[in-house]
């Protein structure tokens, strides 16, 4: 038994100093008759923002009477492209009609406008520093 020696496992080292993570509170407004689940997603690259790749950070909230909130935490400070959609049918995805146009309300970082599709990555970027940030977005939809 003396030859069996167990070394203690060291805890993982944090990748950022304690307290330097960002958090994001997304306050969303829209039509009072809309209700459903808000779904927010943060993307770190142009490629993932434009693809069906999963976001690096995501969260949900409830939307009722024209307003809702999504809180995200543990985010590395930096620039992130933000997408939000109101899942009216609570099916977990953005429902689309002809030509891929969303049939559910959507919003993007900086309230970037929708023209012939989602705004470019650069227009949907929000910058997060260490600590909390609160932004307000307006849902667009019919």
């Amino acid at each position: 038994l003396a030859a069996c020696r167990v070394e203690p496992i060291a805890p993982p080292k944090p990748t950022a100093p304690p307290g330097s993570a960002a958090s994001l509170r997304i306050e969303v407004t829209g039509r009072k008759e809309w209700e459903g689940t808000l779904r927010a997603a943060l993307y770190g690259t142009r490629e993932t923002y434009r693809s069906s790749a999963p976001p690096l950070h995501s969260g949900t909230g409830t939307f009722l009477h024209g307003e809702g909130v999504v809180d995200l935490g543990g985010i590395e400070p930096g620039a992130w492209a933000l997408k939000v959609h109101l899942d009216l049918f609570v099916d977990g995805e953005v429902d689309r009609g002809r030509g891929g146009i969303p049939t559910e309300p959507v919003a993007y970082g900086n309230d970037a406008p929708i023209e012939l599709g989602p705004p470019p990555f650069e227009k949907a970027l929000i910058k997060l520093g260490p600590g909390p940030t609160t932004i307000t977005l307006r849902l667009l939809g019919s």
Side-chain angles (χ1 to χ4, degrees):
L1 290 180
C4 293
R5 193 170 146 201
V6 177
E7 293 290 326
I9 298 174
K13 293 182 181 179
T15 56
S20 69
S23 64
L24 176 61
R25 182 176 186 85
I26 308 161
E27 298 175 349
V28 182
T29 62
R31 293 187 182 174
K32 294 208 181 283
E33 66 269 18
W34 290 340
E35 59 180 62
T37 301
L38 284 170
R39 299 187 187 282
L42 291 176
Y43 298 87
T45 67
R46 182 179 293 105
E47 294 74 27
T48 57
Y49 171 76
R50 287 295 201 180
S51 74
S52 60
L56 289 176
H57 297 279
S58 64
T60 61
T62 301
F63 190 87
L64 288 171
H65 310 296
E67 56 188 37
V69 173
V70 177
D71 288 306
L72 303 174
I75 305 164
E76 184 177 329
W80 297 90
L82 172 61
K83 293 181 183 181
V84 175
H85 98 272
L86 176 55
D87 192 353
L88 296 171
F89 306 110
V90 194
D91 59 4
E93 55 189 53
V94 179
D95 292 321
R96 299 182 184 281
R98 297 177 72 153
I101 297 170
T103 58
E104 294 177 302
V106 295
Y108 296 89
N110 303 310
D111 267 336
I114 300 168
E115 293 174 14
L116 297 174
F121 175 78
E122 293 77 15
K123 288 189 178 182
L125 282 176
I126 58 170
K127 293 188 179 171
L128 300 178
T133 298
T134 299
I135 63 170
T136 302
L137 299 176
R138 181 178 39 91
L139 288 168
L140 305 171
S142 50

